[in-house]
Amino acid sequence: NNGSAQRMCHRHQPLNHDDDGRPHGICCFIPLSLEKTELSEHSLPNSHKTLSYSPPLLRRYPPPPSLPPLLPQHNQHLSLSTMMKLITTILLVTAASSDAFSAPAHGPLSARLSPHVTCSPSRCSTSLLSAASVASSGNDPAASTAADSSSAALTKQQKRMQQIRKEGGLLAFNTKYGALNPFAIFYGLTSIVLGLVWFVALCFSQLLYTITGNRIDKKRRLPVFFSHVWGTLLMLFTVCFPKIENGDIIEEFHKNGRKAMFVSNHNSWMDIPFIGHAIGWHNYKFVAKKELEKVPILGKAIKVANNVLVDRTNRRSQLLTLKQGMQWLKDGVNLCTFPEGTRSRSGRLMPFKNGAFKMAHKAGAPVIPISICRAAEVMPSYWMFPYRPAWGVCKVVVHEPVESEGKTEEELALAVREAIISGLPEYQRPL
């Protein structure tokens, strides 16, 4: 009791039994210092001289029978997964036994645990044990579907990154705004530096129109000139001039003093400077979507030059756009548009919208089809800037003008579409 068990030794003498079955003897704790001292009858107190003393608390009873272990000896150390399987099985069997012998239930739990309520308990238990084993093994269909979708998304990202590295080299990397490599960074910096000068020139033009009340340069030729200078210098410094085929068609057409609607396929941002380079130093307006007003510098150029903007969510705006475009054609200003309405992500020509052909048909102006080839091989939709020069890669094919007189809008659109397709490579043609 005093906490010094190492200094105590426990001794007991064998207990004998009397005729009546009572044990007699003595049991005592002897200090370690008295271990070798011989105990005699004279060394005991008078109350202990009679050896028939048997304290009740020191009586010996037979040991309780040993209980069998709950689990076999070799399974006493179970893994966590095995214990979870066992608990899941017990819970499912308990639920099955309560559901199998109760009234049929229509809840989702009953439907999952016992599809046939009238089955026998053994069959129900067997099916539920199978379900428990499936659940414990982790083969959950919902979890598998989620894992497959995340794996597919990861695989898509990996494929995209592999494609970017294949196109832009080992130094290419991806951002949330598009992919970049050293050439793309150089192109972007050049575009921004030239764009600052372009922006100043556009502000000067806007100030001029405000001061004069639009009495000077009513056709807004000046901002188009500044924009053309910016595009030409950018393609010169970055070696991005495309090859022009049949460019003499446009020159001969302009010599006659006629104006036209220029229509081209669209699958890259490079299509805009390419078609401007093909038209040359003439006044022209783009038919563009209203969202481009938000693009820095480019939005400023679109508004100052009074280009035709289309709000695709507003029917009234579309009617005003139609009237504005027809008026430009009647005033002797060229129009440029991409009748697909947006860039083709696959590179193949998409169906045309009829707005551009309605303008040309009502104004009686001819349509000049243009095929822009391989622009997406220089700047795909997932790149922020071109990843390589366009010289020797891209090509612009100019086709003969298609007169709108004597044709319906559908016939005009079909003739222009066939002309554009004829100048495209096989992988850019529609399926």
Side-chain angles (χ1 to χ4, degrees):
N1 293 333
N2 58 8
S4 56
Q6 68 274 16
R7 299 180 61 252
M8 302 291 293
C9 67
H10 176 254
R11 288 188 177 183
H12 66 84
Q13 295 178 354
L15 298 176
N16 299 321
H17 294 77
D18 295 333
D19 294 336
D20 56 356
R22 296 195 309 161
H24 66 274
I26 186 169
C27 179
C28 64
F29 287 91
I30 304 174
L32 188 60
S33 60
L34 301 178
E35 183 178 357
K36 297 183 181 181
T37 305
E38 183 177 356
L39 293 177
S40 62
E41 184 178 357
H42 299 284
S43 63
L44 295 175
N46 294 331
S47 59
H48 290 79
K49 287 184 178 180
T50 304
L51 296 179
S52 61
Y53 175 76
S54 55
L57 296 177
L58 300 179
R59 292 180 180 174
R60 286 202 170 188
Y61 295 95
S66 59
L67 297 175
L70 293 176
L71 297 171
Q73 189 68 23
H74 60 278
N75 285 337
Q76 289 184 359
H77 301 284
L78 298 177
S79 63
L80 180 60
S81 61
T82 306
M83 290 296 296
M84 293 301 296
K85 292 179 182 180
L86 180 61
I87 294 173
T88 304
T89 303
I90 293 173
L91 292 176
L92 288 174
V93 171
T94 305
S97 61
S98 61
D99 284 347
F101 298 103
S102 60
H106 302 283
L109 178 61
S110 174
R112 289 196 304 269
L113 292 179
S114 55
H116 305 286
V117 182
T118 57
C119 66
S120 63
S122 59
R123 292 180 59 187
C124 289
S125 300
T126 303
S127 62
L128 287 167
L129 286 174
S130 301
S133 62
V134 171
S136 63
S137 62
N139 296 329
D140 187 8
S144 301
T145 304
D148 293 342
S149 61
S150 61
S151 176
L154 182 62
T155 304
K156 185 177 180 180
Q157 293 178 357
Q158 291 176 345
K159 289 182 179 179
R160 174 56 57 85
M161 195 60 212
Q162 290 177 357
Q163 183 69 19
I164 290 173
R165 290 284 174 82
K166 181 180 178 181
E167 294 170 345
L170 296 177
L171 298 179
F173 59 95
N174 198 14
T175 69
K176 65 178 182 178
Y177 300 106
L180 289 171
N181 71 341
F183 179 81
I185 296 173
F186 166 72
Y187 185 98
L189 292 176
T190 306
S191 174
I192 293 172
V193 172
L194 293 175
L196 295 177
V197 181
W198 181 26
F199 182 77
V200 173
L202 292 173
C203 292
F204 169 77
S205 301
Q206 190 176 27
L207 180 61
L208 177 64
Y209 297 142
T210 302
I211 294 175
T212 62
N214 293 324
R215 287 188 293 268
I216 297 178
D217 192 17
K218 293 182 180 181
K219 295 182 181 180
R220 301 293 177 99
R221 180 71 179 86
L222 194 59
V224 175
F225 172 79
F226 291 142
S227 300
H228 200 83
V229 170
W230 171 80
T232 302
L233 291 177
L234 179 60
M235 289 188 291
L236 176 64
F237 293 153
T238 58
V239 197
C240 282
F241 281 112
K243 179 182 178 181
I244 306 295
E245 286 190 5
N246 306 326
D248 56 329
I249 294 177
I250 297 178
E251 295 299 327
E252 290 295 330
F253 184 82
H254 283 134
K255 284 181 180 180
N256 297 329
R258 302 182 67 190
K259 304 301 175 183
M261 166 82 74
F262 291 87
V263 173
S264 172
N265 60 302
H266 190 29
N267 62 356
S268 172
W269 273 100
M270 299 300 290
D271 298 335
I272 299 175
F274 286 175
I275 194 173
H277 176 61
I279 295 174
W281 300 90
H282 301 279
N283 192 10
Y284 56 88
K285 310 295 179 186
F286 273 99
V287 180
K289 55 186 179 181
K290 192 174 180 62
E291 291 84 353
L292 291 180
E293 283 185 325
K294 301 177 182 178
V295 179
I297 305 179
L298 178 60
K300 185 77 171 178
I302 289 174
K303 289 185 290 185
V304 174
N306 202 10
N307 288 270
V308 182
L309 295 176
V310 182
D311 186 358
R312 293 178 290 185
T313 62
N314 191 336
R315 179 64 178 172
R316 179 181 176 85
S317 173
Q318 295 176 6
L319 295 175
L320 293 176
T321 298
L322 179 63
K323 293 181 179 180
Q324 184 183 3
M326 291 171 55
Q327 188 61 46
W328 277 126
L329 288 173
K330 291 178 181 180
D331 292 343
V333 178
N334 297 304
L335 285 182
C336 303
T337 185
F338 303 108
E340 295 168 278
T342 186
R343 286 178 294 170
S344 173
R345 304 297 179 181
S346 64
R348 295 188 179 274
L349 189 67
M350 299 189 301
F352 286 174
K353 301 183 183 300
N354 62 353
F357 305 103
K358 188 181 291 294
M359 291 181 193
H361 188 268
K362 289 187 177 297
V367 178
I368 298 181
I370 295 179
S371 302
I372 300 178
C373 307
R374 303 181 66 184
E377 295 184 18
V378 173
M379 184 180 175
S381 59
Y382 48 88
W383 279 81
M384 189 185 305
F385 298 108
Y387 66 87
R388 63 171 176 171
W391 177 259
V393 178
C394 300
K395 181 176 64 173
V396 177
V397 182
V398 182
H399 303 278
E400 292 290 339
V402 179
E403 298 293 338
S404 60
E405 295 181 357
K407 295 184 178 65
T408 63
E409 292 180 13
E410 291 76 13
E411 292 173 347
L412 179 62
L414 181 60
V416 171
R417 183 178 177 85
E418 289 178 352
I420 293 176
I421 292 175
S422 65
L424 295 175
E426 186 64 31
Y427 71 92
Q428 284 187 250
R429 296 181 179 183
L431 295 175

